[in-house]
Amino acid sequence: MDEGLKAALEKRHKGDFLESNRLLRELLLQYPDNALLHYECAWNYDILLQEEEAIRFYGRAIELGLSGKKGVNAYAQLGSMYRLQGRLKESEEILMEGMSKFWDSGDSSVLKTLYAFTMDRLRKPGEAMRWMTDALLDSSAEEGIVKNHRMLQYLGSNLDVPDIMEKLRDDPPPENGSSNDRKSIVEKVEDVLKVFHPTYLHGGWIPAFDHYEQHFTDPDADTRRAAMAAFAIMAGVWETYSAFPFTPQHERKYGGGYFPNEPHFELNGYIDAFFHNFLAIQQEFPVMTAYTVAALSAIDEESKIGLERRFPEMDADLFQKFREEILLPYRQSKKELPLIEDFLAEIGWNSSYSGW
């Protein structure tokens, strides 16, 4: 089972949720009472906005005794989905059951927070405030809170919306075959470089989607430069909070404009390609490498729980190696970054791009 589960999760790492679920469903035919497999299936269905399937699999995972942090998350997701569907009694019951089960584990803050949202919908503001206060007193840095911060922030700002997910389901999908799809990687990055000055990494510039991580060692030098420039810029704008090119798969639907079948930048793939080709990339693009490492190091350090936990789909072992071999040495050395002019030169920006 372990190899099959690994293959299914690898498909998830790459954003191929349908194939991931196909592999998981095949495993469930062999291991129908495995709680973890039900949970992982539910997670994929949840991302794909197939709510009834997600609810069914989360519920079965709980019935089968799923424990640990994934058990907490199963209760949290199920209780939240019930609430968003207006099934408030079921939401109240499942969240209370989860809190009772995990009360002494130190991981129940997210359940208390979601229970407070349900109490608010049940027109019990006193109970809602009591549970929210209790959750905050536990610790705002508790892993369940940090990992689900975008969901909690979104739900907290939309308490009067009866079914948040309905808008996501009903929005028309983006049109296929846009002009961006026909552009080369170099052209997509040049589009960003033309507006990059004078705000630089504070401007929120993100290249149009492509698998730039697959071209860090491309035979063509211009393509290699553009691919690495795309990653360096994305890491930089992420660090400055100007844009968020990398969002955990399960949180995307809370950021607006989400379409399950639309491709997204997968952080795991970029870390994998950057880490395994690090020496070659660093030798060819030392300035972009320095800026990228500095940005990722700062983001990881500020995340409180680490990016491998912030992104549950991440290959945790891979990222831990990346942290130990590349990010931590950078933090300890406290190197000063090269001049921004050197960065501009290496990413391929030139004054002819500037229209300001």
Side-chain angles (χ1 to χ4, degrees):
M1 188 191 84
D2 291 345
E3 286 301 313
L5 179 57
K6 181 179 178 181
L9 296 184
E10 181 60 31
K11 290 295 182 182
R12 178 188 293 167
H13 294 337
K14 297 178 180 178
D16 190 349
F17 307 116
L18 295 177
E19 179 63 12
S20 177
N21 250 18
R22 187 188 70 78
L23 295 173
L24 289 169
R25 294 298 294 265
E26 286 184 356
L27 285 172
L28 277 171
L29 293 176
Q30 302 175 54
Y31 308 98
D33 295 327
N34 186 284
L36 179 60
L37 291 177
H38 282 83
Y39 171 81
E40 299 296 358
C41 265
W43 189 264
N44 283 353
Y45 281 126
D46 202 349
I47 296 171
L48 291 166
L49 300 182
Q50 297 182 30
E51 298 165 53
E52 292 305 322
E53 287 295 288
I55 286 173
R56 181 164 69 89
F57 279 92
Y58 278 135
R60 184 58 179 152
I62 288 170
E63 289 175 3
L64 291 169
L66 187 66
S67 60
K69 297 184 188 303
K70 291 187 176 180
V72 172
N73 205 53
Y75 276 102
Q77 295 301 132
L78 183 56
S80 183
M81 295 181 84
Y82 279 149
R83 173 187 168 277
L84 293 174
Q85 289 192 345
R87 297 161 65 175
L88 301 182
K89 189 63 177 176
E90 290 168 281
S91 176
E92 178 183 9
E93 290 174 353
I94 201 67
L95 289 170
M96 180 58 74
E97 179 184 322
M99 286 191 292
S100 299
K101 181 175 180 178
F102 295 101
W103 190 269
D104 297 324
S105 69
D107 298 317
S108 61
S109 295
V110 66
L111 297 173
K112 294 176 183 178
T113 304
L114 292 170
Y115 189 80
F117 289 157
T118 298
M119 289 297 98
D120 181 82
R121 286 287 304 279
L122 286 168
R123 302 184 185 280
K124 297 179 181 180
E127 279 289 283
M129 183 61 72
R130 182 171 75 84
W131 284 101
M132 188 65 75
T133 301
D134 200 35
L136 290 172
L137 289 174
D138 279 351
S139 173
S140 60
E142 187 261 299
E143 181 173 331
I145 294 288
V146 176
K147 187 166 70 175
N148 291 281
H149 87 282
R150 192 180 298 262
M151 174 185 72
L152 298 176
Q153 182 183 50
Y154 189 86
L155 295 177
S157 301
N158 293 273
L159 288 172
D160 296 328
V161 179
D163 187 354
I164 293 169
M165 308 316 290
E166 183 175 352
K167 182 178 185 302
L168 294 175
R169 289 191 300 268
D170 294 343
D171 276 349
E175 294 183 7
N176 293 326
S178 70
S179 59
N180 271 328
D181 293 336
R182 295 187 290 273
K183 289 183 177 181
S184 70
I185 284 176
V186 174
E187 290 172 322
K188 290 177 181 179
V189 172
E190 283 183 343
D191 285 345
V192 170
L193 295 182
K194 289 174 183 177
V195 294
F196 194 66
H197 176 76
T199 54
Y200 303 133
L201 297 174
H202 292 274
W205 315 117
I206 299 176
F209 178 83
D210 211 313
H211 284 288
Y212 300 100
E213 79 281 10
Q214 297 179 5
H215 298 275
F216 289 162
T217 57
D218 195 276
D220 179 68
D222 287 337
T223 300
R224 289 197 303 273
R225 180 188 302 276
M228 188 57 210
F231 187 35
I233 290 170
M234 287 192 287
V237 298
W238 189 16
E239 184 198 358
T240 63
Y241 296 101
S242 302
F244 298 91
F246 300 106
T247 303
Q249 291 174 348
H250 198 263
E251 290 188 2
R252 289 172 187 160
K253 57 180 176 284
Y254 300 106
Y258 172 68
F259 304 98
N261 295 320
E262 183 180 346
H264 293 79
F265 297 117
E266 301 290 351
L267 181 60
N268 187 77
Y270 279 83
I271 298 299
D272 190 350
F274 188 55
F275 177 60
H276 286 109
N277 297 288
F278 184 77
L279 292 179
I281 293 171
Q282 185 182 42
Q283 183 175 3
E284 185 172 16
F285 305 115
V287 180
M288 283 194 278
T289 299
Y291 271 79
T292 303
V293 170
L296 293 173
S297 179
I299 295 165
D300 182 51
E301 192 171 17
E302 292 171 6
S303 70
K304 296 183 176 64
I305 61 172
L307 283 176
E308 75 273 28
R309 293 189 180 91
R310 183 73 181 79
F311 287 72
E313 68 271 16
M314 180 83 75
D315 182 337
D317 291 338
L318 168 69
F319 194 85
Q320 287 169 11
K321 291 179 182 177
F322 179 61
R323 179 188 292 118
E324 291 169 3
E325 297 179 24
I326 295 174
L327 298 187
L328 287 178
Y330 175 87
R331 291 178 202 170
Q332 292 163 4
S333 67
K334 300 293 183 183
K335 293 179 182 176
E336 292 186 6
L337 284 175
L339 296 174
I340 188 65
E341 288 78 12
D342 295 334
F343 181 71
L344 293 175
E346 199 171 88
I347 65 174
W349 185 89
N350 63 68
S351 59
S352 68
Y353 285 150
S354 181
W356 297 88

